[in-house]
Amino acid sequence: MTLTVERRAAVLGADELAALDARWRAANYLTAGQLYLLGNPLLTEPLRPEHIKPRLLGHWGTCPGLNLLHAHLNRLIITRDLETMCVWGPGHGGPAVVANTWLDGTWSEVYPDVPRDGAGMARLFRQFSFPGGIPSHVAPEVPGSIHEGGELGYSLAHAYGAALDNPRLLVACVIGDGEAETGPLAASWHANKFLDPVHDGAVLPVLHLNGWKIANPTVYARMPEEELAELLRGYGHDPLFVSGDRPELVHRELAGALELAVDRIRRIQRTAREAPAGAVRERARWPVVVLRTPKGWTGPEEVDGLPVAGTWRSHQVPLSTVRENPRHLRQLETWLRSYRPDELFDERGRPREAVLAQVPRGSRRLGSSPHTNGGLLLRELPIPPLESAAVRVARPGAGTHEPTRVLGTLLTELMRATASRRDFRMVGPDETASNRLDEVYEATGKEWESAVLEVDRHLRHGGRVMEVLSEHLCQGWLEGYLLTGRHGLFSSYEAFVHIVDSMANQHIKWLRTSRRLPWRQPIASLNYLLTSHVWRQDHNGFSHQDPGFVDHVLNKSPEVVRVYLPPDANTLLVCADHVLRSRDYVNVVVAGKQPCFDWLDLEQARAHCARGAGVWEWAGSERQGGEPDVVLACAGDVPTQEVLAAAWLLRRELPGLAVRVVNVVDMARLLPPEEHPHGMPDGEYDALFTRDRPVIFAYHGYPWLIHRLTYRRAGHGQLHVRGYREEGTTTTPFDMVVRNDLDRYRLVMDVIDRVPGLAVRAADVRQRMADVRFRHERWIREHGEDLPEVAGWRWDAD
């Protein structure tokens, strides 16, 4: 089969073509200068070794293509009066984005000590990949960026997240052909099925084929053009191909392809927006541009007898021993002078008029788009009063609710409150209903642009719940949405949020850095709701049982990460209210979806969450003004239930024992204040947990996390932690805690074992506890359900 691949060359006047080429050459010169030059930025004298940086760090190969696209996007913004931002997928081409941001004036506005002249150029060159300067990749320090360039795969998902609910915005997204091989990027091609042309903006992907990764050819670049066109059409795109190594021809073809792409985008949007409300429409086929240019284009063709431009050898620095090798030094000077810098910059180092002829004005500049500094656009969320969703609690443990279903009531009202402003979305991998949040469908549907069958439910154009069975895509959408000034929530099965561990890493690093940049405005926090958790995945089994995301997150920057384990429905509401109002954090909230005892009323929940950790006086048996014999601590809904059941048993079996019950909601409270802003001073910690009494801690996740958080505390030697030990299977709910020694009977046995003198006095009680555990094992194997005294247990303080 032979495909006709559409091409269109723009009619560029001589002045316009010259301006495009001048801008491209200037950006290429500035890019190479950042890689190499420590002095002599305008080449006013012959290059000497002392003009060269002692360590050459960075990436050249992708930069000429990025510079070309930046120049052409500028032209498009001006000629079409577009509101545009760009996501730079090959973020290791950081010096290219920096160069263009300096050329359009944004860099000097954000960093006044780097003016747009020769002195500023010298500082620009020196700061790149230099101690005290900026990283080699696109990073938060770079105006106009929302995308960390160190890890590949996330650009297209971020771009679609930025376009959601931004109907006037065009998001250009440059995708490197190496990045296109990653799993997250492969899934992201399907994001076009979730883009509503009425309420959302448009994404224009530009697949940049330069042929090589660090040391190997790329899959996409070696595909025949017809095969690649078929693949992109299969993804639902209409591809436009541009290729070549002759600058004038590439300029004309790229300008034409971009114009044609914008024409198609406008036609899609106009057709959808002018259609009657509720009209059935076919899914749009959005354009994609495929740009094929040589890797390292315009750089050294050959070094030491080996080909460089157009090969993998141009990926980083094409000339690596410039200070030591006079031949390389001469070759570098020849390369830099090939851009004719005297034509591009005046005697004071300022860009000449031809270079600036196609720089957009003000916020139309790619470096100055407010969408890339989303805090400028952020509005407070109209979160409904918690009383509208809170459950009534006459006394602790008197009733049960599904915590996430209660939260769903609050989120439904929030969806209604943001219906006109459209700045709150929920994302999740096909689990909104499973996670008991499906009441939100009363306020909004699930976004869907493909065919709808009679059996389908809640699918609609313009829905603000995004569901797709790709955690990568959910995470990328939400990150792009938040970074451009909106709010959201990611709900996921606890075990499978690990799929985005690395994406979470990168977002945390982005936030940590951006918080230290005064010009970066705070954005809404990235909020995870982890449910269907380890202790209630007894039906799905071992594969669905992993509470380790909390460990992963708490290893990260303490000024950014927060972890909350609400023990019931009302504390979940309070936690949700808090995290949705917060800024510049990654918040992890772990809560169950199965029926759970209601322990605290709303006001008690507010006070408890404000403390982060506290004594539940009503649950313990310590004497007024006295000290406890033992502390039963808990974090998480199921551990809390088991601790309270253990306290209940101890009250009956050992009525003279003084038991203190401590519940922890905010995991960072266990840390010292010098290690985390939420950390608890030693005096407060000692007052809560004591300095010398046994502490039996029932924890939701892996027990060693608690030891790591508390290892510096005075009473650490008395701390014994029970938690998940990788003992999982398909079984009954209570058997999960028994298998991991987290059950109430095991906790009572731990108390007896660790309170001095109790082992002898309470030997009979300990034996009865062990007997129940043994009887439990036989019971579930015979009956397939938990013991009646466990399944029917209720808290009763009397």
Side-chain angles (χ1 to χ4, degrees), residues 4-52:
T4 301
V5 181
E6 189 166 4
R7 302 179 187 275
R8 171 181 170 182
V11 179
L12 297 176
D15 290 345
E16 194 174 20
L17 181 60
L20 278 171
D21 195 63
R23 173 59 184 255
W24 182 48
R25 286 188 287 119
N28 285 339
Y29 178 81
L30 294 170
T31 298
Q34 289 176 78
L35 294 175
Y36 286 98
L37 297 184
L38 195 60
N40 193 17
L42 290 166
L43 300 184
T44 53
E45 55 180 304
L47 272 185
R48 299 194 302 273
E50 57 266 30
H51 296 150
I52 307 301

Side-chain angles (χ1 to χ4, degrees), residues 431-448:
E431 296 162 1
T432 303
S434 175
N435 290 335
R436 310 292 198 266
L437 301 172
D438 48 313
E439 187 179 336
V440 296
Y441 299 144
E442 296 178 10
T444 185
K446 294 179 283 189
E447 168 56 28
W448 187 253

Side-chain angles (χ1 to χ4, degrees), residues 23-37 53 57-68 92-100 102-103 121 124-125 128 316-317 335-336 339 345:
R23 173 59 184 255
W24 182 48
R25 286 188 287 119
N28 285 339
Y29 178 81
L30 294 170
T31 298
Q34 289 176 78
L35 294 175
Y36 286 98
L37 297 184
K53 293 181 178 182
L57 306 171
H59 299 76
W60 164 252
T62 190
C63 289
L66 300 185
N67 289 329
L68 181 75
H92 50 286
V97 185
V98 171
N100 284 283
W102 186 81
L103 281 173
M121 188 188 300
L124 188 81
F125 289 176
F128 179 80
Q316 294 177 311
V317 285
W335 171 19
L336 293 174
Y339 298 117
F345 308 99

Side-chain angles (χ1 to χ4, degrees), residues 433-636:
S434 175
N435 290 335
R436 310 292 198 266
L437 301 172
D438 48 313
E439 187 179 336
V440 296
Y441 299 144
E442 296 178 10
T444 185
K446 294 179 283 189
E447 168 56 28
W448 187 253
E449 294 294 316
S450 298
V452 177
L453 306 180
E454 185 176 347
V455 72
D456 292 328
R457 292 293 181 269
H458 309 301
L459 302 181
R460 71 185 64 160
H461 301 311
R464 286 184 291 135
V465 175
M466 310 285 287
E467 291 199 66
V468 64
L469 201 53
S470 166
E471 284 83 357
H472 289 123
L473 197 46
C474 292
Q475 174 92 9
W477 282 340
L478 184 55
E479 287 181 357
Y481 200 66
L482 300 174
L483 288 160
T484 51
R486 281 75 61 74
H487 306 260
L489 177 70
F490 182 178
S491 70
S492 173
Y493 281 17
E494 181 185 52
F496 301 133
V497 74
H498 278 295
I499 293 169
V500 297
D501 276 1
S502 193
M503 295 184 78
N505 288 350
Q506 298 300 328
H507 191 73
I508 290 167
K509 291 175 181 179
W510 179 279
L511 290 178
R512 178 183 179 275
T513 302
S514 65
R515 287 166 66 96
R516 302 177 184 189
L517 299 171
W519 58 272
R520 284 271 182 194
Q521 297 302 303
I523 63 169
S525 299
L526 173 56
N527 300 312
Y528 293 99
L529 173 65
L530 306 187
T531 186
S532 298
H533 62 54
V534 58
W535 301 110
R536 293 310 305 268
Q537 278 294 331
D538 43 272
H539 60 300
N540 278 320
F542 200 24
S543 66
H544 285 56
Q545 296 162 356
D546 189 327
F549 190 70
V550 166
D551 303 59
H552 175 71
V553 168
L554 282 175
N555 277 320
K556 306 305 172 185
S557 303
E559 65 265 47
V560 175
V561 299
R562 305 288 186 267
V563 175
Y564 303 99
L565 275 73
D568 68 357
N570 284 335
T571 50
L572 174 57
L573 286 178
V574 175
C575 287
D577 179 77
H578 172 72
V579 301
L580 288 170
R581 295 182 191 276
S582 68
R583 301 287 182 269
D584 278 349
Y585 295 140
V586 169
N587 296 306
V588 180
V589 180
V590 185
K593 69 181 184 182
Q594 302 294 346
C596 170
F597 286 109
D598 303 318
W599 304 116
L600 305 179
D601 66 26
L602 183 58
E603 288 311 307
Q604 291 169 333
R606 283 179 167 138
H608 185 50
C609 289
R611 290 188 297 265
V615 177
W616 283 5
E617 297 90 347
W618 52 267
S621 59
E622 59 183 315
R623 294 169 292 277
Q624 184 72 28
E627 289 192 34
D629 296 314
V630 66
V631 176
L632 287 179
C634 48

Side-chain angles (χ1 to χ4, degrees), residues 250-278:
V250 174
H251 279 309
R252 294 187 186 280
E253 287 204 359
L254 181 57
L258 292 174
E259 288 178 359
L260 185 56
V262 170
D263 287 341
R264 291 181 178 178
I265 288 168
R266 291 291 178 256
R267 184 166 61 248
I268 290 168
Q269 292 176 329
R270 185 171 56 253
T271 300
R273 293 171 186 180
E274 293 176 357

